[in-house]
Amino acid sequence: MKTSTKAQIDVVIVGGGPVGLMCACELAQSNIHVIVLERRKERVRHSRALTLHPRTLEIFAMRGILDRFITRGYPLSTAHYAGLETRLDFSRLDTPFAYTLFLPQSITEEILEQRALELGVEIRRQHQLTNLQQTDSQVHLFIENETESYELTANYVIGADGARSLVRTCAEIDFTGSPSTFTAMLGDIILTEPPAERFLQFYNAHGSLLMMLIADGVYRFAMIDPLRYHIPPDVPVTIEELQASIERITNQTMSIQHAGWLSRVGSTHRQAASYRNKRIFLVGDAAHIHFPAGGQGLNVGLQDAVNLCWKLAAVIQEKAPLHLLDTYHVERHQAGAVLLKETLAQVHLLKDFTESGLALRELMSTLLTIPDVNRRFAEQISGMNVVYPPLPILSAGSLAGHRCPNVDGSLLTGQREQLFTIMQHGHWVLLICGIGKNESLFAQLQPIMKRFQLECLSVDQFPPFLQSQVAVLIRPDGFIAWNTSDESSLIPNIEKTLTDIMLP
């Protein structure tokens, strides 16, 4: 029998994958009432995504949960670009986490779900959104589960429901791009006689194969076979064709003992025309999809979540102007567009097995041996080179929109701390140089910190990136909102800036 109930919630998140759960954690830590709707009965055991990149690890460090991931992952100091022979060197990046953390998406999802539950998030499994409608003041959601149909009324909705997002469809947001031009094969296999190497890579005129040991005896593979990449994504992969492709590409006999998961993935790339329609927002695959080259999709989705949710929490709590929400699309749509363009370049390198295609790959691999070129690509793949335009609500400084590196300093209490450590509750942070030597400035800052619920970190000497600055204001997502080198009117400038942002 169907029944109908109504409830009022701050935010309903449709989709309980890693990106939806990250949204839930970000909002719940700010005491926002959140409900997550997930159509699946349990977490997906198979993982397409396997890597967490340096910028994502920085975000987890800022929220105090990084150790949960590190203890279950495997660090790699390199990453690949289009499977080229020369790998990207992450060890030269300006971060404490200059590596890729090899960790199956299923474990990432498990950790984020546990964190969301700790924060009091309600996760409703086997609850399927069927429709939604929004007004100027609310969003009405129509939902079905195994026993009933019901409605929820929320102030906002976040669509984290993947490439076929019903939230995006109901919000009438276009999903533009290009259809798939080829398919690759992915999966997890156990070989009868496993190789000695943990990582294998082949690329030649017969196709490409990447294989990595992900568990005891289990290898994740990604393969492009030019004789088979015309097969549609919905056609099942057979062990027989997989075996034949592996042997032709490697010129080796690799007998498959067991296949735990096999799939085809297409090269479709699309991006939502807008990441927001009034009270509805899109994150992750609901906002952008692409061929899984470079392991960037999950990472970009998690960064979408962090960018959106500090803004949404501030607006809901009336601590920021409503038009702050417009900056989510401005900042993250551009980041998504760069992702899609860069992924298309990798696709071209990956799927061309002609003589000219192989020559281009050799040239690109040679270029990546140049340290500055390698670093440029590493910064792109790792998410470290994202720069946002200054927030329109501020008269920002020259560094506004740049990521802020981790720095050491002292709290107003005198206790030594790091920037990332004091960001665990999603607060704004003011970095200020030399406060410990200025008792008058110290006294003036204390009531400001209390009034705006702001953290303050006194730095004896700024790192080179911040040199010549007197004060730097850090957003809850770790990007610089404002900076100044003018010491003469520091306190009035700080108060005006915080008032413009936080509406106390």
Side-chain angles (χ1 to χ4, degrees):
M1 180 179 71
K2 292 187 176 182
T3 61
S4 177
T5 60
K6 293 186 178 181
Q8 178 68 48
I9 308 104
D10 288 326
V11 181
V12 170
I13 300 169
V14 182
V19 175
L21 291 168
M22 189 70 192
C23 287
C25 292
E26 287 291 288
L27 292 167
Q29 75 172 1
S30 296
N31 298 315
I32 301 300
H33 181 201
V34 181
I35 290 178
V36 177
L37 304 177
E38 172 52 55
R39 61 181 176 80
R40 299 171 298 176
K41 183 178 182 180
E42 56 186 22
R43 292 190 301 271
V44 174
R45 296 181 181 179
H46 306 302
S47 302
R48 286 193 174 183
L50 289 172
T51 54
L52 296 173
H53 287 158
R55 181 55 187 167
T56 302
L57 299 179
E58 287 191 340
I59 288 170
F60 291 154
M62 292 176 201
R63 297 302 181 257
I65 56 175
L66 179 61
D67 286 348
R68 305 186 188 201
F69 296 90
I70 288 179
T71 55
R72 301 183 67 178
Y74 179 82
L76 298 169
S77 62
T78 64
H80 80 86
Y81 185 87
L84 295 173
E85 183 177 352
T86 304
R87 294 180 64 81
L88 302 180
D89 182 7
F90 280 4
S91 68
R92 298 178 67 237
L93 297 175
D94 178 24
T95 175
F97 318 111
Y99 53 86
T100 286
L101 188 67
F102 180 75
L103 187 70
Q105 180 177 324
S106 58
I107 297 178
T108 298
E109 184 174 323
E110 174 192 336
I111 294 170
L112 290 173
E113 180 179 313
Q114 180 184 12
R115 177 58 176 160
L117 293 173
E118 290 172 3
L119 291 167
V121 174
E122 180 182 354
I123 301 173
R124 299 184 181 181
R125 290 197 171 272
Q126 291 185 285
H127 286 243
Q128 175 76 50
L129 177 73
T130 60
N131 197 5
L132 62 77
Q133 300 170 352
Q134 66 173 321
T135 67
D136 290 340
S137 59
Q138 296 176 328
V139 185
H140 303 284
L141 301 96
F142 303 88
I143 304 153
E144 291 183 353
N145 60 24
E146 290 183 308
T147 60
E148 64 177 356
S149 297
Y150 65 98
E151 299 176 23
L152 291 177
T153 301
N155 290 321
Y156 295 93
V157 167
I158 297 175
D161 50 341
R164 297 181 178 86
S165 172
L166 181 60
V167 172
R168 187 184 62 237
T169 299
C170 292
E172 299 182 338
I173 297 174
D174 290 337
F175 202 40
T176 58
S178 299
S180 177
T181 58
F182 76 100
T183 58
M185 291 179 276
L186 302 175
D188 297 333
I189 56 177
I190 297 176
L191 301 173
T192 302
E193 296 182 5
E197 300 89 346
R198 184 184 183 92
F199 178 82
L200 295 173
Q201 178 174 330
F202 298 87
Y203 197 103
N204 52 51
H206 300 293
S208 70
L209 173 66
L210 295 174
M211 284 179 49
M212 175 177 282
L213 187 68
I214 64 171
D216 188 19
V218 180
Y219 280 83
R220 163 64 53 83
F221 75 90
M223 181 165 56
I224 303 175
D225 183 343
L227 299 183
R228 288 180 166 82
Y229 64 29
H230 63 283
I231 301 175
D234 58 350
V235 176
V237 178
T238 67
I239 290 184
E240 291 74 22
E241 73 166 313
L242 179 60
Q243 185 80 62
S245 294
I246 290 177
E247 292 185 359
R248 186 171 59 259
I249 293 170
T250 65
N251 196 29
Q252 300 177 21
T253 299
M254 292 189 186
S255 179
I256 300 173
Q257 178 180 319
H258 175 72
W261 166 66
L262 299 175
S263 177
R264 281 184 227 275
V265 58
S267 60
T268 301
H269 68 281
R270 297 187 185 278
Q271 185 176 25
S274 176
Y275 284 16
R276 177 193 181 194
N277 182 343
K278 299 179 182 177
R279 293 179 171 270
I280 299 172
F281 300 87
L282 303 177
V283 294
D285 287 353
H288 43 77
I289 59 170
H290 58 90
F291 187 75
Q296 298 171 83
L298 173 61
N299 291 273
V300 172
L302 293 168
Q303 292 158 33
D304 290 342
V306 175
N307 181 288
L308 169 63
C309 290
W310 73 263
K311 300 170 182 176
L312 191 54
V315 168
I316 290 172
Q317 295 173 331
E318 299 183 343
K319 294 180 179 179
L322 183 62
H323 60 264
L324 177 64
L325 297 178
D326 295 334
T327 67
Y328 170 62
H329 168 81
V330 171
E331 294 179 348
R332 294 310 298 171
H333 190 275
Q334 175 61 25
V338 171
L339 165 68
L340 265 63
K341 185 176 181 179
E342 189 271 332
T343 304
L344 282 175
Q346 289 197 64
V347 165
H348 184 78
L349 288 167
L350 279 165
K351 75 169 190 173
D352 188 351
F353 301 100
T354 64
E355 184 177 0
S356 60
L358 294 174
L360 179 60
R361 287 182 60 84
E362 184 177 349
L363 173 62
M364 284 295 299
S365 192
T366 300
L367 288 173
L368 288 181
T369 64
I370 302 172
D372 287 347
V373 175
N374 192 295
R375 181 165 183 158
R376 158 64 181 80
F377 281 80
E379 288 175 342
Q380 170 64 41
I381 293 290
S382 66
M384 300 292 285
N385 71 339
V386 174
V387 178
Y388 297 139
L391 291 174
I393 57 179
L394 294 178
S395 298
S398 59
L399 300 179
H402 287 75
R403 156 195 164 269
C404 187
N406 198 17
V407 295
D408 293 306
S410 300
L411 302 176
L412 295 185
T413 60
Q415 179 182 341
R416 298 294 296 181
E417 278 293 2
Q418 291 188 326
L419 171 63
F420 287 178
T421 303
I422 65 173
M423 295 184 71
Q424 294 184 12
H425 301 292
H427 294 163
W428 291 74
V429 178
L430 180 67
L431 298 180
I432 192 162
C433 194
I435 185 176
K437 302 175 183 178
N438 190 328
E439 293 184 5
S440 174
L441 183 60
F442 180 88
Q444 293 177 76
L445 274 174
Q446 284 187 313
I448 295 175
M449 299 302 104
K450 184 177 180 180
R451 177 185 173 194
F452 291 99
Q453 295 183 320
L454 193 70
E455 301 286 354
C456 182
L457 193 67
S458 173
V459 180
D460 296 330
Q461 183 177 1
F462 277 141
F465 175 66
L466 302 175
Q467 275 186 0
S468 79
Q469 302 305 308
V470 175
V472 180
L473 184 64
I474 312 300
R475 303 169 8 165
D477 58 359
F479 285 82
I480 296 172
W482 169 87
N483 62 280
T484 183
S485 57
D486 181 8
E487 189 173 359
S488 62
S489 56
L490 183 59
I491 294 299
N493 281 341
I494 290 173
E495 287 194 289
K496 181 182 184 306
T497 299
L498 294 174
T499 301
D500 288 344
I501 294 172
M502 300 186 188
L503 300 177

